[in-house]
Amino acid sequence: MLLGIGGASALSVPAPAAAGTAVQHSSVEGKKFAIATDTTFAPFEFRDGSGNLVGIDMDLLNAIAKSQGFEVDIKSLGFDAALQALQSNQVAGVIAGMSITDERKKIFDFSDPYFDSGVQMAVAKNDDAIKTYADLKGKSVTAKRGSEGETFAKSIAGKYGFTVKALADSATMYDDVKAGNSVAVFDDYPVLAYGVSQNNGLKIVTEKEQGSSYGFAVNKGQNQDLLKAFDTGLAELKANGEYDLILDTYLAKTEVTEQGSFFQLVADSFPALMKGLWLTMVATVLSLAIALVLGVLFGFFKVSESKIMRGIATTYVSIFRGTPLLVQAFFFYFGLPQMTGQPINVLTAGVITLSLNAGAYMTEIVRGGIQSVDPGQLEASRSLGLSYVTSMRRVVVPQAVKIMTPSFINQFVITLKDTSLLAVIGFAELTYQGQQIYASNFRTGETLLIVAALYFIVISILTQLSNVLDRKFNK
């Protein structure tokens, strides 16, 4: 069965092998494996203009899978999230320009090396002051968190007197340098070279330093058949020349690509952003529907005469209002599967996170709305012989709804924006799609401007619609 974000807990499921496939390992033949990767590590993995995930890692993995008769389901999560997904058994393996180190060998089993890397330093294109490591004294540089570049930069930081700031991805690092927050970036040489060729605004100023090798990783002691199939397929690609062709596709290019106009960027990005916007709306609607039920239920618990019910509601609200949404997302997507052994798909984890978080706030909205109604209203209805439940349903709640509606609309807007945080667990909503776009074209500011405009337009329309409905039903 497939192990991945989409569902079941085992590692693979039978799948028909493609016609003409040369199957070398019967143990992986016809199976499908979920493989995690990075999102922003061009030219090893990135999305092209059509939104397809491409790059050296992707081409190698797909070619090996075809050669060995298995299928792959790629999960583009980001480097840190990919490693967490592997450790929590959400995926069977990771291929993400991952350096083979002694520390990582304690946790993961690696394939034979498929690329020998190295580190270089780059600065802003218009910076003529920084040419050597000695020029970095007293300054700050940046490198990708957990990368060979970070390891190398830290190894010489004491000697040359500079500080190292670790960031999540290459595009963010390059923007940090262009913004002047760091004077230089240390990154793997093919990544830097590709970025320069895509007009990322930097220039390389040092020779390549010897680095480590990249490998495909699985959890230690697990998926050994998949690891052997990868090694066999890699050897075949090197022997028949396909390996060199894949590398040349991405590394042979040296000329700088001219960037198109802003409107061309909008046109090229539109399909991917619309897909992200649709998923944003799906997650928001599902989450709010569940949150509304939770809010009403625990809201009534909060005003109940029962100490037990009030205690349950107070505990729920305290937990989900007292912890960051990001921590909750990581817990439900990575932590819970590790504790239970049952993987959760990314949409489910995202909806659970948003629902429970928004539900806690809606609980307080309901409580506040009910308690805002004059207590004399309830007393008067009870004095007329109505039961407590009937009095609440016919007298208190209708008045409370009018009070609560503006707060509900506000929570709707907040939850829609909070979906952007789910990008860290690989949920392909609007912000995630924007990250995918600027990871390959390095036009971060313009891309984020488009994403922000889409959020603004959608939220403005939905807010106006909500206000119209509010005036209609609560007049």
Side-chain angles (χ1 to χ4, degrees):
M1 298 177 68
L2 170 63
L3 172 71
I5 300 171
S9 60
L11 292 179
S12 59
V13 304
T21 299
V23 178
Q24 301 297 325
H25 289 274
S26 59
S27 56
V28 299
E29 177 185 357
K31 294 181 179 180
K32 189 173 185 180
F33 298 92
I35 307 297
T37 188
D38 204 345
T39 59
T40 56
F41 201 55
F44 290 90
E45 42 266 337
F46 63 99
R47 294 194 184 274
D48 61 17
S50 301
N52 299 315
L53 194 60
V54 297
I56 294 173
D57 285 353
M58 298 298 96
D59 289 4
L60 285 176
L61 181 61
N62 287 325
I64 290 171
K66 181 179 179 180
S67 166
Q68 301 303 299
F70 63 91
E71 294 182 358
V72 291
D73 180 18
I74 304 298
K75 307 298 180 183
S76 180
L77 302 175
F79 187 73
D80 292 340
L83 297 188
Q84 293 181 58
L86 179 58
Q87 290 178 281
S88 61
N89 288 322
Q90 293 275 48
V91 295
V94 168
I95 183 167
M98 186 176 177
S99 298
I100 303 173
T101 66
D102 291 336
E103 281 298 310
R104 287 173 178 163
K105 284 182 178 179
K106 297 176 183 178
I107 306 172
F108 307 111
D109 287 330
F110 284 93
S111 67
D112 294 334
Y114 66 83
F115 188 86
D116 294 323
S117 185
V119 176
Q120 286 184 296
M121 182 177 79
V123 299
K125 188 183 295 184
N126 58 358
D127 186 353
D128 296 323
I130 307 296
K131 298 179 179 179
T132 66
Y133 302 144
D135 298 326
L136 299 175
K137 186 174 182 179
K139 303 183 185 301
S140 175
V141 306
T142 184
K144 185 176 181 179
R145 185 167 52 244
S147 70
E148 188 71 18
E150 182 189 17
T151 301
F152 175 75
K154 287 183 175 179
S155 72
I156 64 171
K159 177 180 178 180
Y160 292 103
F162 62 85
T163 59
V164 181
K165 174 171 57 177
L167 295 175
D169 56 70
S170 296
T172 304
M173 294 189 304
Y174 302 161
D175 288 332
D176 197 62
V177 174
K178 288 186 288 184
N181 299 321
S182 299
V183 297
V185 57
F186 286 82
D187 207 354
D188 292 20
Y189 82 89
V191 179
L192 272 180
Y194 182 84
V196 170
S197 74
Q198 297 298 307
N199 205 2
N200 67 352
L202 303 183
K203 62 181 178 181
I204 298 172
V205 293
T206 62
E207 296 296 322
K208 182 180 73 172
E209 301 284 353
Q210 184 61 43
S212 60
S213 299
Y214 294 165
F216 172 73
V218 298
N219 279 326
K220 200 161 191 67
Q222 300 181 24
N223 289 298
Q224 297 302 300
D225 291 335
L226 175 61
L227 200 62
K228 292 176 182 177
F230 185 94
D231 286 339
T232 300
L234 178 63
E236 290 180 3
L237 293 184
K238 289 183 176 181
N240 63 27
E242 189 174 354
Y243 173 85
D244 292 327
L245 290 176
I246 291 174
L247 262 59
D248 288 345
T249 299
Y250 299 97
L251 301 182
K253 182 179 180 180
T254 57
E255 68 274 11
V256 176
T257 300
E258 292 297 327
Q259 295 181 342
S261 67
F262 176 77
F263 295 104
Q264 184 62 48
L265 175 62
V266 173
D268 292 342
S269 306
F270 193 76
L273 293 178
M274 287 301 99
K275 176 184 177 183
L277 182 59
W278 167 251
L279 290 175
T280 295
M281 296 304 300
V282 169
T284 302
V285 171
L286 289 175
S287 299
L288 284 174
I290 299 172
L292 182 60
V293 174
L294 293 173
V296 171
L297 175 64
F298 287 107
F300 277 100
F301 278 17
K302 288 277 280 188
V303 297
S304 170
E305 296 178 351
S306 169
K307 290 184 179 180
I308 295 177
M309 287 185 174
R310 291 201 305 272
I312 293 173
T314 299
T315 301
Y316 163 64
V317 171
S318 298
I319 291 174
F320 287 97
R321 289 208 313 175
T323 55
L325 183 65
L326 199 58
V327 173
Q328 295 167 19
F330 275 113
F331 173 77
F332 286 115
Y333 189 59
F334 297 120
L336 196 59
Q338 286 183 321
M339 295 168 61
T340 64
Q342 185 68 30
I344 301 175
N345 70 67
V346 69
L347 177 59
T348 301
V351 169
I352 290 174
T353 301
L354 293 174
S355 299
L356 291 174
N357 185 269
Y361 287 93
M362 286 190 174
T363 296
E364 289 301 301
I365 293 172
V366 172
R367 178 200 59 78
I370 292 174
Q371 292 181 340
S372 295
V373 177
D374 188 343
Q377 298 285 319
L378 179 61
E379 294 173 2
S381 63
R382 294 299 302 275
S383 67
L384 294 174
L386 298 178
S387 68
Y388 176 81
V389 173
T390 302
S391 298
M392 290 293 291
R393 180 168 60 87
R394 291 184 174 273
V395 178
V396 177
V397 171
Q399 297 179 69
V401 168
K402 292 184 178 182
I403 299 171
M404 294 185 288
T405 300
S407 297
F408 278 139
I409 294 173
N410 185 57
Q411 186 59 47
F412 172 78
V413 172
I414 291 172
T415 302
L416 193 151
K417 291 189 292 185
D418 281 347
T419 58
S420 63
L421 296 175
L422 300 182
V424 299
I425 59 173
F427 183 59
E429 46 71 62
L430 183 54
T431 299
Y432 177 93
Q433 295 292 349
Q435 292 173 341
Q436 296 284 299
I437 292 167
Y438 69 66
S440 59
N441 64 21
F442 303 101
R443 300 174 69 174
T444 308
E446 295 168 286
T447 303
L448 291 178
L449 181 62
I450 299 170
V451 171
L454 287 173
Y455 273 117
F456 178 77
I457 293 170
V458 171
I459 289 174
S460 297
I461 293 173
L462 293 176
T463 301
Q464 290 300 318
L465 178 60
S466 299
N467 289 334
V468 169
L469 294 175
D470 179 27
R471 289 192 296 269
K472 180 177 180 180
F473 293 108
N474 293 325
K475 60 184 178 180

